Amino acid sequence: MKKLTKVLAMTLAAAMSISMLAACGGGSTGGDTAADDGASTAASGEKLIMGTNAAFPPFEFVTTQGIVGEFDGIDVAIAKNIADSMGRELQIEDQEFDGLCAAVSTGKIDMAIAGMTATPERAQNVDFSIPYYVATQVMVVGADNTDITSAEDLKNDKKVGVVLGYTGDNIVTSELAVPEENITRANRGIDIVQDVKNGKLDAVVIDSATGKALAANNGLKVVEDPAAFESEEYAIAVQKGNTELLDQINTVLQGMIDSGEIDELAVKYSEAEE
Ligand code: GLN
C-alpha cells in the first residue's frame, strides 16, 4: 500500500512537471525540438547558446548578412553584447518559440532571447532577467478593413490568426474567448500574416513592434486597442537557479538601457527594411 502511494505520488509529480513545462510555452508539445541531438549541452562548451525563433522582426530575423551569421535583430545585438562581455562566442539555435522554455529548463540552451514576455506562468519554469522592452498586442488586418476597430470585434465571427504559444494565443483563446473554430495557429509570425494578405484570415493578433514591421512589409495595417491588451515586458530566460549567468545578463542589459542603446536599436531596426 505504501509502495503504491509512492508510485502514485511519483507519477503525479512527473505529470505535473510535464504540464508545467508545456504551460511554459502555452500548453502545446513543442518542448522537445532541441532535445537529444547529441550536441554538447549548454554548460559544457565555451560557446554561449542563445535559443530564439528567428521569425519575429525587428527582434530576430534571418537576413543575408546579420550580426551572427544570417541572424539579425535587437535580441541578437543584445545577445552579442552578453557573449562579448563574457568573452564567449555566441551560438544561435533557431527553433519553435513554443519549445524555448523547455530548452532553457533542460539546459539545451543557455538563454532564450526571443521577444519573450515574462509571464508568471513561464516564471515557474525559468528565471527571467530584468525587463528590456515593453510591448502590447495589436491586430494586423487588411489595408482596407473597416469592421475591426477593437478587440471585441474579433469575437464577432472573425477568423483570427495567432502564433502558437505566444501571449497573443493565450489572450485570443482565453481572455477574448474567440471560438476555437475561428482560430488558426501557426508556428511563425512571418507566415501567419500571409493569411491576412490572401484573405483567409480577418486579423492576426501579435506583438506591437512585430505587428508593425510585418504590416509594413506586407501592405497591411495595424489596429491598436490599448484598453483590451495589457502591456507586456520582454525579458531573457535562463535556467532556474543560474544566478551567475542571470547577474551577467542583468549587468549588460542595465548598461544598454542606461546608455540608451536599446532605444537606439529599437529605432534602427524598426526603420530597417528587411
Ligand atoms: N511576446 C510574445 C510572447 O512572449 C511573443 C514572443 C515571440 O514571438 N517571439 O509570447
Side-chain angles (χ1 to χ4, degrees):
M1 189 61 199
K2 210 173 163 194
K3 207 170 175 184
L4 182 65
T5 316
K6 197 172 168 191
V7 169
L8 275 175
M10 281 167 68
T11 312
L12 188 66
M16 276 171 67
S17 71
I18 288 167
S19 74
M20 275 167 67
L21 278 180
C24 187
S28 89
T29 53
D32 57 357
T33 45
D36 300 332
D37 56 8
S40 60
T41 57
S44 66
E46 279 302 300
K47 290 185 176 170
L48 184 67
I49 306 176
M50 159 192 181
T52 196
N53 175 239
F56 196 67
F59 292 90
E60 38 269 328
F61 53 91
V62 166
T63 183
T64 29
Q65 183 65 60
I67 297 173
V68 177
E70 59 183 350
F71 298 107
D72 208 348
I74 300 167
D75 285 344
V76 182
I78 292 172
K80 182 78 171 64
N81 278 357
I82 295 167
D84 286 351
S85 78
M86 301 170 83
R88 291 169 72 177
E89 192 186 331
L90 180 65
Q91 179 181 327
I92 298 183
E93 295 290 333
D94 186 14
Q95 60 173 93
E96 285 177 12
F97 183 84
D98 208 28
L100 283 172
C101 280
V104 167
S105 332
T106 55
K108 294 290 171 191
I109 57 175
D110 292 303
M111 54 186 186
I113 316 188
M116 182 181 284
T117 305
T119 64
E121 190 189 30
R122 290 172 179 157
Q124 290 180 350
N125 299 296
V126 295
D127 283 345
F128 279 111
S129 69
I130 57 170
Y132 64 90
Y133 190 86
V134 178
T136 186
Q137 299 295 305
V138 298
M139 296 165 280
V140 176
V141 302
D144 45 14
N145 181 300
T146 50
D147 57 354
I148 297 176
T149 57
S150 73
E152 277 293 302
D153 293 330
L154 297 180
K155 298 181 186 172
N156 209 1
D157 209 22
K158 295 286 183 284
K159 302 263 179 266
V160 184
V162 293
V163 187
L164 180 69
Y166 281 21
T167 40
D169 181 1
N170 194 29
I171 291 167
V172 168
T173 308
S174 309
E175 288 179 32
L176 294 175
V178 170
E180 198 53 36
E181 66 269 23
N182 287 345
I183 304 176
T184 300
R185 294 185 180 85
N187 273 318
R188 288 152 50 91
I190 47 179
D191 296 335
I192 189 103
V193 293
Q194 298 307 319
D195 283 346
V196 177
K197 205 171 170 181
N198 63 32
K200 282 192 202 152
L201 293 175
D202 297 301
V204 162
V205 175
I206 195 164
D207 296 44
S208 39
T210 305
K212 283 174 191 164
L214 294 177
N217 291 348
N218 289 284
L220 303 168
K221 73 174 179 187
V222 161
V223 175
E224 300 184 54
D225 186 350
F229 301 119
E230 285 175 10
S231 61
E232 304 179 15
E233 292 182 327
Y234 292 175
I236 297 174
V238 302
Q239 195 171 42
K240 271 209 166 294
N242 191 351
T243 46
E244 202 182 324
L245 179 58
L246 197 61
D247 288 349
Q248 184 67 23
I249 288 173
N250 282 339
T251 303
V252 172
L253 279 179
Q254 195 62 58
M256 292 180 80
I257 293 166
D258 293 345
S259 69
E261 198 177 340
I262 301 238
D263 290 339
E264 282 165 24
L265 285 169
V267 171
K268 172 181 160 195
Y269 280 103
S270 300
E271 284 168 354
E273 275 297 312
E274 285 165 68

